[in-house]
Amino acid sequence: MLTGHQLPDTHIFEITYSGAVGSAEFEALRDELVAFLDANDPPDLLAVYDDIELAKIEPKALWEDLRSAGLEKKVRRAALLTDAGWLATLARGASHFIQADVRVFGLGERTEALAWLQS
């Protein structure tokens, strides 16, 4: 499942990934994210990766995700919540190639991630 929404009274858009992910979910999320990025200055992201099932991500969903490339240029900060070591390593590596300030937090560190995004 892939969901996204703006946290009330903030400039933070939360994206939650868990289990299987389909292309329709990516399309819908991208539309919501674009609207959020256009309406908020500065926009920040909170991405929560919980129990991702890589084998259950539709190939078309990966294509839809790639079509979102470039949106990160509008983001000031991105906090990633995950306990998956491989994903944390990937995010830290990718942070060298994008303009947004990216930090990785454990799933149990939501409060700390939100405090950082709001600072």
Side-chain angles (χ1 to χ4, degrees), residues 68-106:
S68 300
L71 292 179
E72 77 284 346
K73 292 176 185 173
K74 296 181 177 186
V75 174
R76 178 182 71 132
R77 290 184 176 165
L80 173 72
L81 298 178
T82 185
D83 286 338
W86 66 271
L87 190 53
T89 300
L90 183 65
R92 286 184 185 107
S95 71
H96 297 290
F97 301 100
I98 63 174
Q99 296 173 356
D101 190 3
V102 177
R103 292 205 185 160
V104 178
F105 298 85

Side-chain angles (χ1 to χ4, degrees), residues 32-111:
E32 289 179 54
L33 182 57
V34 166
F36 169 80
L37 292 173
D38 289 344
N40 288 275
D41 187 31
D44 292 326
L45 295 179
L46 175 66
V48 182
Y49 288 85
D50 186 27
D51 296 329
I52 291 271
E53 295 182 36
L54 292 175
K56 292 188 178 181
I57 297 176
E58 291 179 6
K60 187 176 178 189
L62 294 173
W63 172 248
E64 290 300 328
D65 190 30
L66 288 173
R67 288 185 54 212
S68 300
L71 292 179
E72 77 284 346
K73 292 176 185 173
K74 296 181 177 186
V75 174
R76 178 182 71 132
R77 290 184 176 165
L80 173 72
L81 298 178
T82 185
D83 286 338
W86 66 271
L87 190 53
T89 300
L90 183 65
R92 286 184 185 107
S95 71
H96 297 290
F97 301 100
I98 63 174
Q99 296 173 356
D101 190 3
V102 177
R103 292 205 185 160
V104 178
F105 298 85
L107 283 173
E109 297 177 305
R110 180 182 178 87
T111 301

Side-chain angles (χ1 to χ4, degrees), residues 1-17 25 28-37 40 43-48 81 110 114 117:
M1 181 181 351
L2 178 64
T3 60
H5 65 280
Q6 182 172 358
L7 297 179
D9 302 319
T10 73
H11 57 278
I12 301 169
F13 191 83
E14 179 176 8
I15 300 171
T16 303
Y17 301 82
E25 292 171 298
L29 179 70
R30 185 179 54 245
D31 292 345
E32 289 179 54
L33 182 57
V34 166
F36 169 80
L37 292 173
N40 288 275
D44 292 326
L45 295 179
L46 175 66
V48 182
L81 298 178
R110 180 182 178 87
L114 287 171
L117 287 172

